[in-house]
Amino acid sequence: MKRVGILTSGGDCQGLNAAIRGVAKALYNHYKKNEIKIFGIIDGYRGLIYGEYKEMQESDFSGILTQGGTILGTSRQPFKLMRVIDDENSIDKVKAMKEHYQEMKLDCLVVLGGNGTQKTANLLSQEGLNVVSLPKTIDNDLWGTDVTFGFQSAVDIATNVIDCIHTTATSHGRVFIIECMGHKAGWLTLYAGIAGGADVILIPEIPYDINTVIKTIKNRTKKGKNFSILAVAEGAISKEHAALSKKEKKAAIAEMAYPSVSYKIAHEIEEATGQETRVTVPGHFQRGGSPCPYDRTLSTRLGTAAAKLIIEGNYGNMVAVRGEDIIPVPLSEIAGKLKVVPVDSPVVRSARELGICMGD
Ligand code: F6P
């Protein structure tokens, strides 16, 4: 009898259910009915900490391939607080997670998540639990894998937004900023920006000079282009802010009198060019809805690869994409590392060759 617990943790994204289904279907396909039990842990690590879980039936995993969100629910449980005692309930979280793992008599815990989730997965693995993880996030910032599921679906949505904004921007002759998610990484903005034909792309990895951005817009006006489209990452940072220490940077950003960096940039552009400038923030829209076909396939492949590791008893790994292959990567190798856009990546080079302003 194999007993497997499964949880989804951190911000949700498209493809979570497809991945859960991939793991479960491959396990049910491999084992006889009475040889496998799957437990769904509710709302991520919170469910493992507080003992909220349920035994799943095979039918629970049917009809969820195209469904957005996660059938198990999710929550953010910051890694830095994992070792901190929950005062309200006097709970040692790590101890509690281990106890509930034992209570379910698990052979393995399957964890679907992004950076923080992988760090806790590694912690639990070091604490002696058998863990297999899958790389999830629209940010695509997980070290060790070429791509994460959720990313491509978010690129599709953000690109669609840019496409829609294009038509209204041209009609009104306005400058438009589309602010994309991505946390500290610029993958989503870069790919959606290129796919949507943005004139300026600002990502956290390449601090921007507002004068360069303004010059680009003025040059477009001189050429008779009455509108401009900027794809700006939520984590985009000016050269001045980038030069500050971590503490000073945090303070400077907190002091900013705008809801986000895009509004500051919009204000500066309007002042300098006199051109009407608008901001569109698709926000959580980018994480919602059905996974795109690419993500359905990727999540399914990652799910079946995770099931294979469980069957083989090969624990302590995240399944990762490397070229055409899916390979196991030790959790200890990936935990705590961020995969940001290399500033000289071929994609950035291609954007520059096209004449897109990267802000520097
Ligand atoms: O990590 C995914 C992500 O959507 C980031 O792009 C974004 O910065 C963050 O989550 C938003 O978090 P929340 O859903 O907690 O507001």
Side-chain angles (χ1 to χ4, degrees):
M1 161 70 71
K2 201 81 160 183
R3 300 168 72 94
V4 176
I6 185 159
L7 64 82
T8 53
S9 170
D12 71 343
C13 74
Q14 305 90 336
L16 276 167
N17 288 327
I20 292 171
R21 171 182 174 271
V23 177
K25 280 199 180 259
L27 290 175
Y28 286 123
N29 199 30
H30 179 82
Y31 292 104
K32 294 200 179 79
K33 206 175 165 47
N34 58 352
E35 283 177 354
I36 177 82
K37 252 193 210 323
I38 300 181
F39 292 85
I41 298 159
I42 312 303
D43 294 345
Y45 289 119
R46 186 195 286 161
L48 194 56
I49 296 169
Y50 298 104
E52 285 160 26
Y53 54 82
K54 61 180 175 195
E55 193 182 321
M56 307 289 282
Q57 303 305 318
E58 197 168 347
S59 58
D60 292 330
F61 301 101
S62 286
I64 60 169
L65 172 65
T66 63
Q67 211 175 300
T70 159
I71 56 166
L72 298 174
T74 187
S75 65
R76 289 197 187 277
Q77 301 294 320
F79 173 74
K80 61 177 183 217
L81 298 180
M82 277 300 174
R83 293 268 185 208
V84 178
I85 302 293
D86 175 349
D87 278 343
E88 211 179 302
N89 306 292
S90 303
I91 283 182
D92 177 332
K93 300 185 196 103
V94 176
K95 194 163 160 252
M97 287 195 279
K98 286 164 77 175
E99 280 168 5
H100 291 124
Y101 180 95
Q102 303 299 348
E103 194 175 271
M104 286 180 269
K105 299 190 180 67
L106 296 184
D107 294 295
C108 173
L109 174 69
V110 181
V111 164
L112 288 75
N115 270 302
T117 303
Q118 303 295 342
K119 280 200 260 182
T120 300
N122 183 44
L123 182 156
L124 292 176
S125 173
Q126 286 170 344
E127 287 284 330
L129 306 193
N130 295 328
V131 184
V132 168
S133 75
L134 286 84
K136 159 245 76 165
T137 168
I138 64 163
D139 302 341
N140 194 35
D141 61 351
L142 259 176
W143 197 90
T145 185
D146 292 352
V147 67
T148 56
F149 66 84
F151 172 63
Q152 200 58 57
S153 303
V155 170
D156 281 7
I157 294 172
T159 303
N160 214 339
V161 173
I162 300 178
D163 289 349
C164 292
I165 291 297
H166 242 115
T167 61
T168 176
T170 50
S171 309
H172 285 267
R174 283 172 171 165
V175 175
F176 259 97
I177 295 179
I178 296 95
E179 183 178 284
C180 300
M181 276 188 167
H183 203 219
K184 289 180 183 157
W187 297 105
L188 179 50
T189 309
L190 179 63
Y191 277 73
I194 293 177
D199 308 298
V200 178
I201 298 177
L202 304 181
I203 59 175
E205 295 84 347
I206 305 177
Y208 69 86
D209 178 344
I210 192 64
N211 297 316
T212 307
V213 174
I214 289 166
K215 205 165 132 199
T216 302
I217 294 166
K218 285 186 172 168
N219 281 344
R220 281 179 55 81
T221 311
K222 269 190 217 146
K223 282 188 193 161
K225 307 257 173 103
N226 71 340
F227 74 97
S228 290
I229 301 286
L230 287 76
V232 174
E234 62 179 354
I237 184 161
S238 67
K239 284 194 169 171
E240 298 81 55
H241 279 178
L244 300 174
S245 71
K246 209 173 162 187
K247 204 172 158 199
E248 290 168 337
K249 206 185 297 172
K250 224 174 157 186
I253 292 171
E255 270 168 30
M256 218 163 56
Y258 302 93
S260 71
V261 66
S262 298
Y263 290 88
K264 180 173 188 289
I265 295 171
H267 181 77
E268 288 166 338
I269 291 172
E270 209 163 55
E271 288 259 287
T273 65
Q275 205 171 349
E276 267 187 317
T277 306
R278 296 281 193 268
V279 177
T280 294
V281 183
H284 289 78
F285 219 79
Q286 292 161 102
R287 280 185 4 204
S290 190
C292 66
Y294 176 90
D295 272 337
R296 293 179 200 183
T297 310
L298 178 61
S299 299
T300 303
R301 287 188 65 208
L302 288 164
T304 58
K308 189 162 177 279
L309 294 186
I310 298 166
I311 292 161
E312 294 166 353
N314 188 358
Y315 303 122
N317 292 298
M318 178 182 86
V319 284
V321 181
R322 291 285 169 86
E324 288 295 299
D325 299 321
I326 306 233
I327 58 157
V329 182
L331 282 167
S332 55
E333 266 182 36
I334 59 155
K337 292 186 198 157
L338 207 62
K339 184 188 74 183
V340 295
V341 178
V343 294
D344 60 346
S345 84
V347 190
V348 172
R349 278 208 305 273
S350 174
R352 291 191 195 280
E353 280 156 15
L354 203 68
I356 295 175
C357 165
M358 296 298 300
D360 55 343

